[in-house]
Amino acid sequence: YRSVMRAARAEGLKVVGHAPRNIGMEPVFAEGQDALAHVEEYIYAHYRFGREGRGLPDGIEALTDRIVSRTRAAGVHVIANLTAYHGIWKQAVDVRPLLARPEMAFVPRGIRHNWEPERNTYVRRFGGSPRPFEEWYGVLQSLVADLDRAGVPLMAGSDAPIPCVVPGFSLHDEVQDLVAAGLTPYRAL
């Protein structure tokens, strides 16, 4: 990670990407990563980093306050991408309503084929176990609202075309998810 950051700086390149889940969020700040894709990365590289279990940690409010402050101080932009995490949760509940959405008509058959229940990576990994996603999605919504209030630059994103996230249409979903998280429609746009 540090070598990538040095090489990017030497070439005058911006670095946008996931957090290094094996070393946590501090290197993102110390090395000056320009943008974090996505807010979900805070789950793995901050909230759960170095902790046992997949559930919500104790003291989550203090953990949120700290990471918002660190993100703002470091000048890191954040691509919220709530719609992808929300979509994974929905797929874990039941992928069929997502596959019935009108925008699926614009997804090539070969791609859509892999989103069907028997081949869908999220259904296979998480189907029948949506509760952790529901809990963490609430944390992510609060985190996005807190980042916005703190003045952290936010960007909309959708990670399309991960399963059931349709390019173009998913950006509309992202704006709705940002508003549901507490941003004004103007801020979400």
Side-chain angles (χ1 to χ4, degrees):
Y1 178 80
R2 288 179 176 93
S3 295
V4 167
M5 293 302 295
R6 273 193 304 277
R9 296 293 174 237
E11 296 298 324
L13 299 173
K14 300 240 182 235
V15 177
V16 177
H18 289 191
R21 295 178 183 183
N22 61 329
I23 56 177
M25 286 299 297
E26 286 306 315
V28 170
F29 306 135
E31 297 294 329
Q33 184 170 318
D34 297 286
L36 180 68
H38 320 274
V39 75
E40 175 186 348
E41 291 300 307
Y42 287 108
I43 295 172
Y44 315 113
H46 175 64
Y47 291 112
R48 287 185 10 206
F49 183 71
R51 292 178 179 83
E52 294 293 323
R54 300 183 67 115
L56 303 183
D58 294 332
I60 201 155
E61 294 84 9
L63 288 169
T64 298
D65 291 345
R66 182 181 188 298
I67 203 65
V68 167
S69 176
R70 293 288 291 127
T71 303
R72 181 174 185 233
V76 175
H77 293 55
V78 177
I79 302 168
N81 193 23
L82 289 170
T83 197
Y85 198 81
H86 199 194
I88 295 168
W89 170 23
K90 290 176 185 176
Q91 289 173 74
V93 172
D94 184 2
V95 71
R96 291 172 298 203
L98 296 173
L99 293 171
R101 292 177 70 174
E103 61 264 31
M104 288 298 169
F106 297 96
V107 177
R109 190 177 334 202
I111 292 174
R112 190 180 186 288
H113 177 77
N114 289 322
W115 295 356
E116 295 290 333
E118 57 277 359
R119 286 172 293 287
N120 183 300
T121 186
Y122 299 127
V123 171
R124 291 172 56 192
R125 289 169 58 198
F126 309 117
S129 302
R131 184 160 171 75
F133 290 98
E134 181 178 6
E135 291 174 341
W136 278 111
Y137 188 69
V139 171
L140 295 180
Q141 285 181 305
S142 296
L143 176 58
V144 165
D146 290 347
L147 289 166
D148 185 57
R149 279 191 293 275
V152 172
L154 295 175
M155 296 177 277
S158 68
D159 222 13
I162 65 169
C164 298
V165 178
V166 181
F169 294 92
S170 55
L171 198 52
H172 294 263
D173 295 334
E174 176 71 356
V175 170
Q176 291 173 358
D177 286 335
L178 290 169
V179 170
L183 276 67
T184 66
Y186 181 78
R187 290 288 303 138
L189 289 171

